[in-house]
Amino acid sequence: MRVPIIAGNWKMNKTPKEARELAAAMKDRLLAITAAERVLCPPFIDLSAVYDVVAGTDIGLGAQNLYPEKSGAYTGEVSPAMLKELCQYVILGHSERRGYFGESDEFINRKVKSALSYGLTPIVCVGENLEQNERGETGSFVSGQVCGVLAGLAAEDVLKLVVAYEPIWAIGTGRAATAEGANQVIGGVVRATIAELYGAAIADQVRIQYGGSMNAANAAELLRQPDIDGGLIGGAALKADDFIAIVQAAADVRGAR
Ligand code: PGA
């Protein structure tokens, strides 16, 4: 049974003081919902503040990026060794990093390997844009991304990571994929590609999230789909009540299975 995982991607929002307040506003209610893994991913500069709130609990803490070297002359970058002191997770290959900062599957693959070598759990993002979707290229494109970001990984490493399927046209638009549509890509493309690479027994164990305008109103329907194992939440993760409602929906769905 795959444990659902809900991660809040705070993107470039919240000062350290605000981040501490938001985490504190969520903490007790998150702790009360134990049937889902819940992860907060604030900006780098907020990690210490949120760590102070969640340390010693089973609320996960994640970063939104890393640079795949241990240390050195990489001005402005943050290494997995640094993250490891505070975090258990790291979002890698988000479409905003791919789009605005030119990150390739190859570079993301280096980051995935680096994160794994430090014991961090990568949440690796894939997803097509609107034109690709409309041209019917979703399957081939997303499958290619999955192959690219997982290249050279052993099966035991693939079991340690989480994949997030985030169609770019659904991110921040208020227009989520339909539950059936998201499930179709997650099961029929992402999990199927992992099965081709590593076999069905491995693919069955890998957790795959949906992301893109998931919110308190649509979460239950998305999370009820058999191949959707959680969510990567942007806008709704910045509101305590909404994020808690999504985590609760994940826990309820699991309870009902
Ligand atoms: P959204 O963002 O929930 O605001 O659409 C999701 C994401 O980019 O991870």
Side-chain angles (χ1 to χ4, degrees), residues 1 4 6 20 22 52 73 101 136 155 178 190 194 209 211-212 233 252:
M1 187 67 133
I6 305 292
R20 186 188 305 272
L22 180 57
D52 289 344
F101 305 102
T178 62
V190 179
I194 298 172
Q209 298 171 315
I233 320 298
D252 291 347

Side-chain angles (χ1 to χ4, degrees), residues 39-179:
V39 184
L40 306 179
C41 302
F44 285 138
I45 197 164
D46 298 337
L47 285 170
S48 289
V50 176
Y51 177 86
D52 289 344
V53 177
V54 302
T57 75
D58 65 353
I59 300 171
L61 185 58
Q64 299 172 16
N65 188 24
L66 59 68
Y67 191 77
E69 294 293 338
K70 183 179 180 194
S71 62
Y74 302 100
T75 302
E77 296 296 319
V78 175
S79 82
M82 297 165 183
L83 294 177
K84 184 65 189 158
E85 283 192 11
L86 302 180
C87 297
Q88 303 84 37
Y89 303 83
V90 58
I91 299 170
L92 296 174
H94 190 279
S95 61
E96 287 149 19
R97 297 219 55 87
R98 292 171 181 268
Y100 298 139
F101 305 102
E103 292 193 8
S104 63
D105 285 336
E106 205 178 358
F107 190 38
I108 296 159
N109 175 248
R110 272 181 63 202
K111 295 185 182 201
V112 170
K113 289 174 177 160
S114 175
L116 286 166
S117 75
Y118 281 89
L120 292 162
T121 298
I123 299 174
V124 196
C125 306
V126 297
E128 82 287 1
N129 66 27
L130 186 60
E131 295 73 47
Q132 291 163 327
N133 183 278
E134 287 175 345
R135 286 201 299 259
E137 296 168 5
T138 298
S140 58
F141 181 74
V142 172
S143 173
Q145 284 185 318
V146 172
C147 293
V149 298
L150 300 185
L153 291 188
E156 70 203 55
D157 287 333
V158 175
L159 291 175
K160 292 178 190 150
L161 54 77
V162 175
V163 180
Y165 167 61
E166 300 205 302
I168 295 171
W169 46 269
I171 295 177
T173 58
R175 189 186 149 208
T178 62

